[in-house]
Amino acid sequence: MAHIQRKNTIKITFPAAAAKPTALELHNCVDAELNITPDQVEMIQLNTLERSIYLKLTSVTQYERLMNTYEGEVNFKYDNQSIIKVSFQRADINAITMRIFNVPPEVENNLVNQSLSQYGTVKTIRAELWSTQYKFPVNNGVRAVRIEMQKHIPSKLIIGGYTAVIHYPGQPQLCYICGESSHLRSECPRRKFSFPVTVAGRKPLLSEVVGECQQTYVISLISQQI
């Protein structure tokens, strides 16, 4: 049977370790954080299996406004005033929103798309802005990428010659060299070079440190192309 997609619906997901919110806390958060009125909401559905809320809007205009404003993560406040970050994603397609940091605007979106294509299908790329509460509500250097992910993306990735920092909800710790989740960089089997240390435990020379960094950088570039 074909999967019927939701329409104009936002999926808000709580972290696994987060305390279970009350129904009143959920309604208060929708009211306080999202700045919408009851006439703009068609449904608030709880899914305890997924630890999620499905929020269906009455119009596509309101839906897109909220997604463009909050897509990725949003604050959730409990009655005890504690605040956590919850995932804020579109429910109509099987995709997540990831954020890319430290890449300048001179690196064009088509190059970002090309770098991410080995991990899934990129749907949209948009530049984020500083909020209007700041004096200069301009591009803040962060790109929000909507992607149908086929495998997890490393937290660091070379894009256009820059070391981009990648973040998305549910992101596991991956090895920076090979991208696997079974180990970290220090234990990677592809990391064939290490500092030479004598029995006396001498400190490595500067030339050895530079050589190690150069070799690791080359390995990292190669691993991104695999």
Side-chain angles (χ1 to χ4, degrees):
M1 182 175 179
H3 180 73
I4 300 176
Q5 290 186 334
R6 295 176 182 265
K7 296 180 180 179
N8 300 341
T9 304
I10 298 164
K11 183 179 182 181
I12 302 172
T13 305
F14 285 74
K20 182 180 179 180
T22 66
L24 183 58
E25 286 174 326
L26 296 175
H27 281 253
N28 288 340
C29 180
V30 171
D31 178 43
E33 293 293 330
L34 304 184
N35 191 30
I36 54 178
T37 57
D39 62 292
Q40 296 170 336
V41 179
E42 181 176 329
M43 179 198 71
I44 300 178
Q45 181 186 48
L46 310 183
N47 188 317
T48 56
L49 293 178
E50 298 179 355
R51 300 181 62 84
S52 299
I53 310 166
Y54 286 94
L55 177 66
K56 183 175 176 63
L57 285 302
T58 56
S59 73
V60 66
T61 301
Q62 292 298 332
Y63 170 65
E64 292 296 342
R65 179 186 68 81
L66 286 178
M67 293 313 306
N68 290 333
T69 304
Y70 300 102
E71 185 171 12
E73 291 181 331
V74 68
N75 288 331
F76 181 89
K77 180 184 288 187
Y78 292 93
D79 286 345
N80 64 6
Q81 303 306 306
S82 63
I83 299 175
I84 64 170
K85 291 286 188 180
V86 294
S87 171
F88 194 91
Q89 307 290 343
R90 298 174 186 264
D92 56 350
I93 57 176
N94 183 26
I96 59 99
T97 296
M98 52 167 283
R99 283 177 165 75
I100 301 178
F101 301 84
N102 300 345
V103 176
E106 286 79 8
V107 177
E108 297 182 356
N109 285 343
N110 61 351
L111 185 55
V112 174
N113 192 340
Q114 179 182 346
S115 300
L116 296 175
S117 62
Q118 60 182 309
Y119 302 101
T121 302
V122 174
K123 295 297 183 180
T124 60
I125 303 176
R126 62 178 174 83
E128 294 194 339
L129 307 176
W130 289 100
S131 71
T132 54
Q133 70 180 4
Y134 296 102
K135 188 172 183 179
F136 300 100
V138 297
N139 187 333
N140 65 11
V142 179
R143 302 191 204 197
V145 180
R146 190 74 180 163
I147 180 172
E148 290 186 357
M149 200 163 54
Q150 297 173 355
K151 63 179 179 178
H152 283 294
I153 307 171
S155 59
K156 292 182 180 179
L157 196 64
I158 302 298
I159 301 179
Y162 294 88
T163 302
V165 175
I166 310 294
H167 174 73
Y168 57 89
Q171 182 180 33
Q173 278 194 314
L174 301 180
C175 173
Y176 179 43
I177 296 176
C178 68
E180 296 294 332
S181 59
S182 58
H183 57 266
L184 298 181
R185 175 186 178 279
S186 60
E187 301 173 347
C188 183
R190 296 188 188 180
R191 185 174 184 267
K192 300 179 181 178
F193 304 94
S194 60
F195 293 141
V197 179
T198 66
V199 177
R202 70 169 177 83
K203 294 182 178 179
L205 301 174
L206 177 60
S207 60
E208 296 169 343
V209 174
V210 172
E212 163 73 9
C213 293
Q214 290 175 337
Q215 291 161 349
T216 300
Y217 179 72
V218 171
I219 293 172
S220 131
L221 286 177
I222 293 173
S223 67
Q224 304 302 330
Q225 300 173 358
I226 296 176

